[in-house]
């Protein structure tokens, strides 16, 4: 069999707690400028099901020896809802629902006063997107910086160059991913699209890329 898949489960410290080579069902969906999702299903009597906890990281890997493709990470997600299902025929299932890496910005709001420079912005689109990210999930997401509550995450914002048209707006109290998606749509309509995407980088850390 030339094609092989495996799933690694990483803990909050980034350690691999188990590797799955057999599972009953797995599906995933990644969405542009929005949060994707996944579902993993195991038999409840599988010992691995007891090792998977909320907010652990699921990493799907792929290998194809005939095509000389070494182990390649093709999907990452954050486990949000571990559940157990019991059927009347005696079958028991462990089902794990979760989100892809865009869960990190999706769970955040632009938590600054309407009158603040952190809520209202005008500038090159990629720079504005990077600022919203840094101020709401990055190192500047702090009360000291004027945010209502601290919300620093283990994430790096990568904005290698200033690109896109000038965007102006005020997104106080709006969802962060919705804000980024609106700016992205604006740049697309201007014929100079700027994208964003979140990536798991290992060790329970993430990176958000902004740009072309």
């Amino acid at each position: 069999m030339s094609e092989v898949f495996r799933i690694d489960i990483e803990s909050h410290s980034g350690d691999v707690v188990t590797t799955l080579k057999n599972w009953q069902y797995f599906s995933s969906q990644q969405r542009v400028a929005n949060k994707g999702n996944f579902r993993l299903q195991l038999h409840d009597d599988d010992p691995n099901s007891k090792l998977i906890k909320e907010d652990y990281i699921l990493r799907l890997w792929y290998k194809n020896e005939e095509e000389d493709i070494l182990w390649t990470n093709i999907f990452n997600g954050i486990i949000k809802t571990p559940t157990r299902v019991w059927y009347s025929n005696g079958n028991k299932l462990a089902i794990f629902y979760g989100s892809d890496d865009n869960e990190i910005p999706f769970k955040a709001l632009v938590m600054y006063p309407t009158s603040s420079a952190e809520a209202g912005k005008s500038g090159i689109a990629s720079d504005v997107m990077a600022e919203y990210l840094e101020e709401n999930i990055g190192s500047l997401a702090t009360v000291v910086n004027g945010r209502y509550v601290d919300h620093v995450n283990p994430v790096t914002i990568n904005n290698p160059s200033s690109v896109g048209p000038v965007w102006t707006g005020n997104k106080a109290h709006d969802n962060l991913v919705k804000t980024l998606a609106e700016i992205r749509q604006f740049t697309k309509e201007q014929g100079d699209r700027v994208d964003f995407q979140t990536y798991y980088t290992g060790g329970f850390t993430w990176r958000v890329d902004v740009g072309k």
Side-chain angles (χ1 to χ4, degrees):
M1 187 173 177
S2 59
E3 289 188 310
V4 182
F5 294 86
R6 81 169 199 262
I7 291 175
D8 289 346
I9 303 295
E10 293 188 7
S11 69
H12 302 146
S13 60
D15 298 322
V16 176
V17 297
T18 189
T19 294
L20 308 177
K21 297 181 180 178
N22 296 287
W23 51 86
Q24 189 180 68
Y25 177 85
F26 177 79
S27 66
S28 64
Q29 178 190 49
Q30 288 185 288
R31 303 170 66 188
V32 175
N34 208 330
K35 181 177 69 171
N37 57 72
F38 69 88
R39 172 181 169 177
L40 170 66
Q41 184 170 302
L42 306 172
H43 288 289
D44 190 52
D45 59 3
D46 185 334
N48 289 308
S49 70
K50 310 301 189 293
L51 301 174
I52 304 175
K53 309 295 183 183
E54 186 175 356
D55 287 333
Y56 276 15
I57 306 301
L58 178 149
R59 309 193 73 185
L60 178 66
W61 298 80
Y62 170 78
K63 180 173 73 171
N64 189 324
E65 293 181 350
E66 286 187 1
E67 300 295 332
D68 293 325
I69 300 174
L70 301 177
W71 281 115
T72 302
N73 182 211
I74 59 174
F75 179 83
N76 297 309
I78 305 169
I79 295 166
K80 303 307 296 182
T81 313
T83 61
R84 268 16 185 218
V85 179
W86 290 268
Y87 292 97
S88 58
N89 62 4
N91 287 339
K92 298 179 181 180
L93 299 176
I95 303 177
F96 303 90
Y97 298 95
S99 307
D100 70 0
D101 293 327
N102 273 339
E103 165 77 12
I104 301 298
F106 186 86
K107 67 183 181 180
L109 301 177
V110 180
M111 293 290 283
Y112 291 89
T114 303
S115 60
S116 69
E118 288 76 20
K121 295 183 182 297
S122 181
I124 300 298
S126 69
D127 294 341
V128 170
M129 293 168 80
E131 288 176 12
Y132 276 130
L133 285 160
E134 197 70 68
E135 293 161 356
N136 290 283
I137 62 171
S139 61
L140 296 180
T142 63
V143 173
V144 172
N145 193 50
R147 200 172 190 275
Y148 296 141
V149 293
D150 291 334
H151 194 66
V152 176
N153 288 259
V155 60
T156 300
I157 312 304
N158 179 39
N159 177 32
S161 60
S162 299
V163 293
V166 172
W167 178 89
T168 300
N170 192 304
K171 307 307 293 182
H173 314 137
D174 280 3
N175 178 272
L176 180 56
V177 159
K178 179 183 176 183
T179 295
L180 300 176
E182 288 184 6
I183 298 173
R184 176 187 181 275
Q185 181 62 28
F186 167 79
T187 64
K188 181 180 178 181
E189 292 170 356
Q190 300 300 307
D192 193 10
R193 190 180 74 194
V194 178
D195 283 310
F196 69 94
Q197 183 60 48
T198 312
Y199 299 96
Y200 181 65
T201 53
F204 212 72
T205 61
W206 286 262
R207 184 189 75 245
V208 184
D209 288 348
V210 178
K212 300 293 186 179

